Amino acid sequence: MFGGLNATRLLGGTAGNELATWIIAISILASTILSMLAFLGVAQGLQMRVWKSQIEAKLRVLETYVDDVKEKAREKLRKAGVKDPDQVLRRTMDYFVIEPVSIEPTDITRRLERILRTEEERIEEIVRRAADPGTSEVELKNVVTLLAIGNALNLLYKYIRHLLLLGLKTKNAMLVAQLWMMLPLYMRIAKAYHDASETIEKGLPIGDAAGPLAAYILAKEFREIKPPEEIVKDTVYSIHEFEGRRVYIVRAKGPGSTVGRPGEAVEKLVEERLKEPLAAIITIDAALKFEGEDTGSIAEGSGVAMGDPGPEKIRIERVAVKHGVPLHAIAIKMGLEEAITTMKKEIVEGVSKAVEEAKNLILECCRPGDGVIVVGVGNTIGIGFQS
Amino acid sequence: MTDVYTWIYFVLTGVGAMSALWVATLLRRRGGSAKRIVVEAECPRCSYRGYVGYSEGLYVGKRLQQRCPRCGAELVVSAIYEEAPPCAAGLLFASRGSGAKDRRRKLKTPQSVGGYLQHGPTRP
């Protein structure tokens, strides 16, 4: 029984035939209208609405990430004695860097280096001026990194919002579709940055600290000849002895968040401080793995293992060419998220393997009496020195 | 008899719903936020290794107030890393896929200890 009507009677006999005819007629009419609307672009419009709502939902998530990082930075700035944290945030969140002119390649790395150093020094100066003079260097470095993360997230948020609004404004379905398709990748990066902010706030070692951790372990295991000394800004070197070889270990100065200037340090070391013949330059760094590769696996190669935009890397390459020194590299594999979030156990195990690999390299590539430079490349957050 | 079948139907539906909820809860725990920070410490004199509880401000190379139980020297932080707890979904599907071996291995890993020093050999 349906609403007092007998269903069997309704669907049978003459009345049933009439109902079936009506149903078929309505179906044909509806499909004709839908087909015509599809040709007129209504389907695309509906699809765009779906994409728009999904992108907007992700944008809201991204906005909460930005706000969260800002709040963490605000809190850190307050702890560092900054009276008006919002002013510091306003100046640093929208800080931008203009790439050097690339159609004239002469000296482009030097120009890029100058621009990047200006950025680094400027942000540090803004924070240092606002902070209490007694604030530790470690705290200052960590706040600067936190602000850099906030800046990157803010830029990503504004870029995605810009593409969405532009696509809607110009009714460009392809632009919106492209953005929608790329969004999972952008969100992956954004989440990694957001998670990284938590690690930086606590001052814990990140995956990228694998290189400095390897340098720390090597320095601990080799007999020390000269304790760590700052050779260039935020970068230290120490001299050790291993099986008759003189090992110069270079890394950024921890435990604050900094990558230092390893290229300039190696250049200065080779040109001014090295006394014995240099047999090799070995760089140990975290490297992005391919999907499917194991986190913490290591690989040996040649060249300079360094993820900088170029200025630091080229200094090591140039000095190696000038003195005819082989360049060896050891990569500790990890994903993008793992590189900027708290170090994982697999990475620590990978560092131990890289240390053994570096020892073998030193023994195989250098004769007793030779000098070798080992550079632990990466961010030194949470990696100090053994006193 | 109809009543008996009805009751069987209700019971089976209830069991099915409960099982589905249980599986969903286990799966939701995958990659949960309950990750722990593990701090490894070692003695620079006798190479004794152990775990210490995490507290803010620790870094690799920092000298701790805790003393080595073997020789009494100050312990030094040798590694700080994040360790994920045993994955419930991994337990559930431990026999499936190539990752099953890793997941089973993870479950056997000695878990970190918070707040005090763990004695004896610590590395698996």
Side-chain angles (χ1 to χ4, degrees), chain B residues 67-96:
Chain B
R67 297 268 168 185
C68 172
R70 280 191 204 148
C71 67
E74 275 181 341
L75 290 169
V76 176
V77 176
S78 59
I80 303 174
Y81 56 84
E82 190 180 65
E83 191 178 55
C87 175
L91 252 182
L92 197 65
F93 304 114
S95 59
R96 213 179 67 181

Side-chain angles (χ1 to χ4, degrees), chain A residues 141-202:
Chain A
K141 295 276 180 202
N142 292 357
V143 172
V144 168
T145 308
L146 206 54
L147 290 170
I149 290 173
N151 182 295
L153 271 175
N154 194 33
L155 183 68
L156 190 63
Y157 168 72
K158 287 203 289 189
Y159 179 64
I160 293 173
R161 188 182 59 181
H162 163 77
L163 287 181
L164 175 67
L165 293 177
L166 188 70
L168 294 174
K169 200 173 174 182
T170 55
K171 292 191 170 52
N172 188 340
M174 288 320 290
L175 192 62
V176 180
Q178 232 173 0
L179 179 62
W180 177 78
M181 284 170 194
M182 290 300 291
L183 211 53
L185 281 177
Y186 290 143
M187 290 309 291
R188 196 180 152 197
I189 294 167
K191 191 178 180 306
Y193 273 123
H194 179 252
D195 293 349
S197 69
E198 208 166 299
T199 307
I200 303 291
E201 191 194 14
K202 288 178 183 165

Side-chain angles (χ1 to χ4, degrees), chain A residues 224-253:
Chain A
E224 191 178 89
I225 297 171
K226 187 182 179 301
E229 182 196 322
E230 189 161 349
I231 184 166
V232 293
K233 187 179 179 285
D234 295 336
T235 315
V236 293
Y237 85 103
S238 54
I239 308 175
H240 304 261
E241 193 267 334
F242 175 59
E243 306 274 342
R245 285 93 172 154
R246 193 167 269 236
V247 186
Y248 294 79
I249 297 177
V250 179
R251 48 164 284 200
K253 190 178 159 190

Side-chain angles (χ1 to χ4, degrees), chain A residues 66-182:
Chain A
V66 177
D67 291 343
D68 194 30
V69 173
K70 272 186 185 172
E71 192 47 50
K72 279 175 187 157
R74 201 174 281 127
E75 196 55 41
K76 273 259 171 199
L77 286 166
R78 262 195 217 110
K79 273 187 192 168
V82 177
K83 282 174 190 143
D84 189 2
D86 286 319
Q87 197 203 3
V88 176
L89 279 171
R90 202 168 45 248
R91 295 175 81 180
T92 52
M93 280 290 141
D94 286 322
Y95 196 90
F96 61 92
V97 173
I98 303 165
E99 283 180 19
V101 175
S102 57
I103 51 167
E104 168 55 275
T106 310
D107 254 4
I108 192 165
T109 49
R110 280 182 194 278
R111 284 183 278 134
L112 181 62
E113 184 183 85
R114 192 63 262 143
I115 292 166
L116 293 176
R117 285 188 181 178
T118 306
E119 180 205 11
E120 181 195 323
E121 287 160 7
R122 181 69 192 134
I123 302 285
E124 274 184 26
E125 199 190 326
I126 291 172
V127 177
R128 209 182 293 273
R129 271 175 185 273
D132 196 62
T135 312
S136 73
E137 197 65 19
V138 175
E139 278 299 307
L140 286 175
K141 295 276 180 202
N142 292 357
V143 172
V144 168
T145 308
L146 206 54
L147 290 170
I149 290 173
N151 182 295
L153 271 175
N154 194 33
L155 183 68
L156 190 63
Y157 168 72
K158 287 203 289 189
Y159 179 64
I160 293 173
R161 188 182 59 181
H162 163 77
L163 287 181
L164 175 67
L165 293 177
L166 188 70
L168 294 174
K169 200 173 174 182
T170 55
K171 292 191 170 52
N172 188 340
M174 288 320 290
L175 192 62
V176 180
Q178 232 173 0
L179 179 62
W180 177 78
M181 284 170 194
M182 290 300 291

